[in-house]
CSV table of all heavy atoms in Angstrom, one decimal:
chain,number,residue,atom,x,y,z
P,1,GLY,N,-19.2,-13.2,2.8
P,1,GLY,CA,-17.8,-12.9,3.0
P,1,GLY,C,-17.3,-13.2,4.4
P,1,GLY,O,-16.2,-13.5,4.6
P,2,THR,N,-18.3,-13.3,5.3
P,2,THR,CA,-17.9,-13.6,6.7
P,2,THR,C,-18.1,-15.1,7.0
P,2,THR,O,-18.1,-15.5,8.2
P,2,THR,CB,-18.7,-12.8,7.7
P,2,THR,OG1,-20.1,-13.0,7.5
P,2,THR,CG2,-18.5,-11.3,7.5
P,3,GLY,N,-18.3,-15.9,6.0
P,3,GLY,CA,-18.5,-17.3,6.2
P,3,GLY,C,-19.9,-17.6,6.6
P,3,GLY,O,-20.2,-18.6,7.4
P,4,GLY,N,-20.9,-16.9,6.0
P,4,GLY,CA,-22.3,-17.1,6.4
P,4,GLY,C,-22.9,-18.4,6.0
P,4,GLY,O,-24.0,-18.8,6.5
P,5,TYR,N,-22.2,-19.2,5.2
P,5,TYR,CA,-22.8,-20.5,4.8
P,5,TYR,C,-21.8,-21.6,5.3
P,5,TYR,O,-20.6,-21.4,5.1
P,5,TYR,CB,-23.0,-20.6,3.3
P,5,TYR,CG,-24.2,-19.9,2.8
P,5,TYR,CD1,-24.0,-18.6,2.2
P,5,TYR,CD2,-25.4,-20.4,3.0
P,5,TYR,CE1,-25.1,-17.9,1.7
P,5,TYR,CE2,-26.6,-19.7,2.5
P,5,TYR,CZ,-26.4,-18.5,1.9
P,5,TYR,OH,-27.5,-17.8,1.4
P,6,ALA,N,-22.3,-22.7,5.8
P,6,ALA,CA,-21.4,-23.7,6.3
P,6,ALA,C,-20.8,-24.5,5.1
P,6,ALA,O,-19.7,-25.0,5.2
P,6,ALA,CB,-22.2,-24.7,7.2
P,7,HIS,N,-21.5,-24.6,4.0
P,7,HIS,CA,-21.0,-25.4,2.9
P,7,HIS,C,-20.2,-24.5,1.9
P,7,HIS,O,-20.8,-23.6,1.3
P,7,HIS,CB,-22.2,-26.1,2.1
P,7,HIS,CG,-21.8,-27.1,1.2
P,7,HIS,ND1,-21.4,-26.8,-0.1
P,7,HIS,CD2,-21.6,-28.4,1.3
P,7,HIS,CE1,-21.1,-27.9,-0.8
P,7,HIS,NE2,-21.2,-28.9,0.1
P,8,ILE,N,-18.9,-24.8,1.8
P,8,ILE,CA,-18.1,-23.9,1.0
P,8,ILE,C,-18.5,-23.8,-0.5
P,8,ILE,O,-18.5,-22.7,-1.1
P,8,ILE,CB,-16.6,-24.3,1.1
P,8,ILE,CG1,-16.1,-24.2,2.5
P,8,ILE,CG2,-15.7,-23.6,0.1
P,8,ILE,CD1,-14.8,-24.7,2.8
P,9,ASP,N,-18.8,-24.9,-1.1
P,9,ASP,CA,-19.2,-24.9,-2.5
P,9,ASP,C,-20.5,-24.0,-2.7
P,9,ASP,O,-20.5,-23.3,-3.7
P,9,ASP,CB,-19.4,-26.3,-3.0
P,9,ASP,CG,-18.1,-27.1,-3.1
P,9,ASP,OD1,-17.1,-26.5,-3.2
P,9,ASP,OD2,-18.2,-28.3,-3.1
P,10,ALA,N,-21.4,-24.2,-1.9
P,10,ALA,CA,-22.7,-23.4,-2.0
P,10,ALA,C,-22.3,-21.9,-1.9
P,10,ALA,O,-22.9,-21.1,-2.6
P,10,ALA,CB,-23.7,-23.8,-1.0
P,11,SER,N,-21.4,-21.6,-0.9
P,11,SER,CA,-21.1,-20.2,-0.7
P,11,SER,C,-20.4,-19.6,-1.9
P,11,SER,O,-20.7,-18.5,-2.3
P,11,SER,CB,-20.1,-20.1,0.5
P,11,SER,OG,-19.7,-18.8,0.7
P,12,ALA,N,-19.5,-20.4,-2.6
P,12,ALA,CA,-18.8,-19.9,-3.8
P,12,ALA,C,-19.8,-19.7,-4.9
P,12,ALA,O,-19.7,-18.7,-5.6
P,12,ALA,CB,-17.7,-20.8,-4.2
P,13,GLU,N,-20.7,-20.6,-5.1
P,13,GLU,CA,-21.7,-20.5,-6.2
P,13,GLU,C,-22.6,-19.3,-5.9
P,13,GLU,O,-22.9,-18.5,-6.8
P,13,GLU,CB,-22.5,-21.8,-6.3
P,13,GLU,CG,-21.7,-22.9,-6.9
P,13,GLU,CD,-22.6,-24.2,-6.8
P,13,GLU,OE1,-23.8,-24.2,-6.7
P,13,GLU,OE2,-21.9,-25.3,-7.0
P,14,GLN,N,-23.0,-19.2,-4.7
P,14,GLN,CA,-23.9,-18.1,-4.3
P,14,GLN,C,-23.2,-16.7,-4.5
P,14,GLN,O,-23.8,-15.8,-5.0
P,14,GLN,CB,-24.4,-18.2,-2.9
P,14,GLN,CG,-25.4,-17.2,-2.4
P,14,GLN,CD,-26.8,-17.4,-3.0
P,14,GLN,OE1,-27.0,-18.4,-3.7
P,14,GLN,NE2,-27.6,-16.4,-2.9
P,15,ASP,N,-21.9,-16.7,-4.1
P,15,ASP,CA,-21.1,-15.4,-4.2
P,15,ASP,C,-21.0,-15.0,-5.7
P,15,ASP,O,-21.2,-13.9,-6.1
P,15,ASP,CB,-19.8,-15.6,-3.6
P,15,ASP,CG,-19.0,-14.3,-3.6
P,15,ASP,OD1,-19.4,-13.4,-3.0
P,15,ASP,OD2,-17.9,-14.3,-4.2
P,16,THR,N,-20.7,-16.0,-6.6
P,16,THR,CA,-20.6,-15.7,-8.0
P,16,THR,C,-21.9,-15.2,-8.6
P,16,THR,O,-21.9,-14.2,-9.3
P,16,THR,CB,-20.2,-17.0,-8.8
P,16,THR,OG1,-18.9,-17.5,-8.2
P,16,THR,CG2,-20.1,-16.8,-10.2
P,17,ALA,N,-23.0,-15.8,-8.2
P,17,ALA,CA,-24.3,-15.3,-8.7
P,17,ALA,C,-24.6,-13.9,-8.2
P,17,ALA,O,-25.1,-13.1,-8.9
P,17,ALA,CB,-25.4,-16.3,-8.2
P,18,LEU,N,-24.3,-13.7,-6.9
P,18,LEU,CA,-24.6,-12.4,-6.3
P,18,LEU,C,-23.7,-11.3,-6.9
P,18,LEU,O,-24.1,-10.2,-7.1
P,18,LEU,CB,-24.4,-12.4,-4.8
P,18,LEU,CG,-25.5,-13.2,-4.0
P,18,LEU,CD1,-25.1,-13.3,-2.6
P,18,LEU,CD2,-26.9,-12.7,-4.3
P,19,GLN,N,-22.5,-11.6,-7.2
P,19,GLN,CA,-21.5,-10.7,-7.9
P,19,GLN,C,-22.1,-10.3,-9.3
P,19,GLN,O,-22.0,-9.1,-9.7
P,19,GLN,CB,-20.1,-11.3,-8.0
P,19,GLN,CG,-19.4,-11.5,-6.7
P,19,GLN,CD,-19.0,-10.2,-6.0
P,19,GLN,OE1,-19.0,-9.1,-6.7
P,19,GLN,NE2,-18.6,-10.2,-4.8
P,20,ALA,N,-22.6,-11.3,-10.0
P,20,ALA,CA,-23.1,-11.0,-11.3
P,20,ALA,C,-24.4,-10.1,-11.2
P,20,ALA,O,-24.6,-9.2,-12.0
P,20,ALA,CB,-23.5,-12.3,-12.0
P,21,GLU,N,-25.2,-10.4,-10.2
P,21,GLU,CA,-26.4,-9.6,-10.0
P,21,GLU,C,-26.0,-8.1,-9.6
P,21,GLU,O,-26.6,-7.2,-10.1
P,21,GLU,CB,-27.3,-10.2,-8.9
P,21,GLU,CG,-28.6,-9.4,-8.7
P,21,GLU,CD,-29.5,-10.1,-7.6
P,21,GLU,OE1,-29.2,-11.2,-7.2
P,21,GLU,OE2,-30.4,-9.4,-7.2
P,22,ASP,N,-24.9,-8.0,-8.8
P,22,ASP,CA,-24.4,-6.7,-8.4
P,22,ASP,C,-24.0,-5.9,-9.7
P,22,ASP,O,-24.2,-4.7,-9.8
P,22,ASP,CB,-23.3,-6.8,-7.4
P,22,ASP,CG,-22.8,-5.5,-6.9
P,22,ASP,OD1,-23.7,-4.6,-6.6
P,22,ASP,OD2,-21.6,-5.3,-6.9
P,23,ARG,N,-23.2,-6.6,-10.6
P,23,ARG,CA,-22.8,-5.9,-11.8
P,23,ARG,C,-24.0,-5.4,-12.6
P,23,ARG,O,-24.0,-4.3,-13.1
P,23,ARG,CB,-21.9,-6.8,-12.6
P,23,ARG,CG,-20.5,-6.9,-12.1
P,23,ARG,CD,-19.6,-7.7,-13.0
P,23,ARG,NE,-20.0,-9.0,-13.3
P,23,ARG,CZ,-19.7,-10.1,-12.5
P,23,ARG,NH1,-19.0,-9.9,-11.4
P,23,ARG,NH2,-20.1,-11.3,-12.8
P,24,GLU,N,-25.0,-6.3,-12.7
P,24,GLU,CA,-26.2,-5.9,-13.5
P,24,GLU,C,-26.9,-4.7,-12.9
P,24,GLU,O,-27.3,-3.8,-13.6
P,24,GLU,CB,-27.1,-7.1,-13.6
P,24,GLU,CG,-28.4,-6.8,-14.4
P,24,GLU,CD,-29.3,-8.0,-14.4
P,24,GLU,OE1,-28.9,-9.2,-14.3
P,24,GLU,OE2,-30.5,-7.8,-14.6
P,25,LEU,N,-27.1,-4.8,-11.6
P,25,LEU,CA,-27.7,-3.6,-10.9
P,25,LEU,C,-26.9,-2.4,-11.0
P,25,LEU,O,-27.5,-1.3,-11.2
P,25,LEU,CB,-28.0,-4.0,-9.4
P,25,LEU,CG,-29.1,-5.0,-9.1
P,25,LEU,CD1,-29.1,-5.3,-7.6
P,25,LEU,CD2,-30.4,-4.5,-9.6
P,26,SER,N,-25.6,-2.5,-11.0
P,26,SER,CA,-24.7,-1.3,-11.1
P,26,SER,C,-24.9,-0.7,-12.5
P,26,SER,O,-25.0,0.5,-12.6
P,26,SER,CB,-23.3,-1.8,-10.8
P,26,SER,OG,-22.4,-0.6,-10.9
P,27,GLU,N,-25.0,-1.5,-13.5
P,27,GLU,CA,-25.2,-1.0,-14.8
P,27,GLU,C,-26.5,-0.3,-15.0
P,27,GLU,O,-26.6,0.8,-15.6
P,27,GLU,CB,-25.0,-2.1,-15.9
P,27,GLU,CG,-23.6,-2.6,-16.0
P,27,GLU,CD,-23.6,-3.9,-16.9
P,27,GLU,OE1,-24.6,-4.3,-17.5
P,27,GLU,OE2,-22.5,-4.5,-16.9
P,28,LYS,N,-27.5,-0.9,-14.4
P,28,LYS,CA,-28.9,-0.3,-14.4
P,28,LYS,C,-28.9,1.0,-13.7
P,28,LYS,O,-29.5,2.0,-14.1
P,28,LYS,CB,-29.9,-1.2,-13.8
P,28,LYS,CG,-30.3,-2.4,-14.7
P,28,LYS,CD,-31.4,-3.2,-14.1
P,28,LYS,CE,-31.7,-4.4,-15.0
P,28,LYS,NZ,-32.7,-5.3,-14.3
P,29,ARG,N,-28.2,1.1,-12.5
P,29,ARG,CA,-28.1,2.3,-11.7
P,29,ARG,C,-27.4,3.4,-12.5
P,29,ARG,O,-27.8,4.5,-12.5
P,29,ARG,CB,-27.5,2.0,-10.4
P,29,ARG,CG,-27.5,3.1,-9.4
P,29,ARG,CD,-27.0,2.6,-8.1
P,29,ARG,NE,-27.0,3.7,-7.1
P,29,ARG,CZ,-25.9,4.4,-6.7
P,29,ARG,NH1,-24.7,4.1,-7.2
P,29,ARG,NH2,-26.0,5.4,-5.9
P,30,HIS,N,-26.3,3.0,-13.1
P,30,HIS,CA,-25.6,4.0,-13.9
P,30,HIS,C,-26.5,4.6,-15.0
P,30,HIS,O,-26.5,5.9,-15.2
P,30,HIS,CB,-24.3,3.4,-14.5
P,30,HIS,CG,-23.5,4.3,-15.3
P,30,HIS,ND1,-22.7,5.2,-14.8
P,30,HIS,CD2,-23.4,4.5,-16.7
P,30,HIS,CE1,-22.1,5.9,-15.7
P,30,HIS,NE2,-22.5,5.5,-16.9
P,31,ALA,N,-27.2,3.8,-15.7
P,31,ALA,CA,-28.1,4.3,-16.8
P,31,ALA,C,-29.2,5.1,-16.2
P,31,ALA,O,-29.6,6.2,-16.8
P,31,ALA,CB,-28.7,3.1,-17.6
P,32,LEU,N,-29.8,4.7,-15.1
P,32,LEU,CA,-30.8,5.4,-14.4
P,32,LEU,C,-30.4,6.8,-14.0
P,32,LEU,O,-31.1,7.8,-14.2
P,32,LEU,CB,-31.4,4.6,-13.3
P,32,LEU,CG,-32.5,5.2,-12.5
P,32,LEU,CD1,-33.7,5.4,-13.3
P,32,LEU,CD2,-32.8,4.3,-11.3
P,33,HIS,N,-29.2,6.9,-13.4
P,33,HIS,CA,-28.6,8.2,-13.0
P,33,HIS,C,-28.4,9.1,-14.2
P,33,HIS,O,-28.6,10.3,-14.1
P,33,HIS,CB,-27.3,8.0,-12.2
P,33,HIS,CG,-27.6,7.7,-10.8
P,33,HIS,ND1,-27.6,8.8,-9.9
P,33,HIS,CD2,-27.8,6.6,-10.1
P,33,HIS,CE1,-27.9,8.2,-8.7
P,33,HIS,NE2,-27.9,6.9,-8.8
P,34,ALA,N,-28.0,8.5,-15.3
P,34,ALA,CA,-27.8,9.4,-16.5
P,34,ALA,C,-29.1,10.0,-17.0
P,34,ALA,O,-29.2,11.2,-17.3
P,34,ALA,CB,-27.2,8.6,-17.7
P,35,GLN,N,-30.2,9.2,-16.9
P,35,GLN,CA,-31.5,9.7,-17.3
P,35,GLN,C,-32.0,10.7,-16.3
P,35,GLN,O,-32.5,11.8,-16.7
P,35,GLN,CB,-32.6,8.5,-17.3
P,35,GLN,CG,-32.3,7.5,-18.3
P,35,GLN,CD,-33.2,6.2,-18.0
P,35,GLN,OE1,-34.2,6.3,-17.3
P,35,GLN,NE2,-32.8,5.1,-18.6
């Protein structure tokens, strides 16, 4: 988010992948907390 990558396309692709991973981890965390 602070422009950590010089190549804009790589940054956008990486951000999309990390956002998806964050959603997955968030779902796992929610299920884990319920248990």
Side-chain angles (χ1 to χ4, degrees):
T2 61
Y5 286 102
H7 192 275
I8 294 172
D9 291 336
S11 177
E13 289 174 17
Q14 184 72 9
D15 185 60
T16 300
L18 292 176
Q19 292 288 347
E21 185 178 349
D22 184 47
R23 282 189 299 277
E24 181 181 332
L25 288 175
S26 182
E27 290 171 9
K28 286 181 180 180
R29 186 171 180 257
H30 181 76
L32 181 62
H33 274 271
Q35 295 169 18

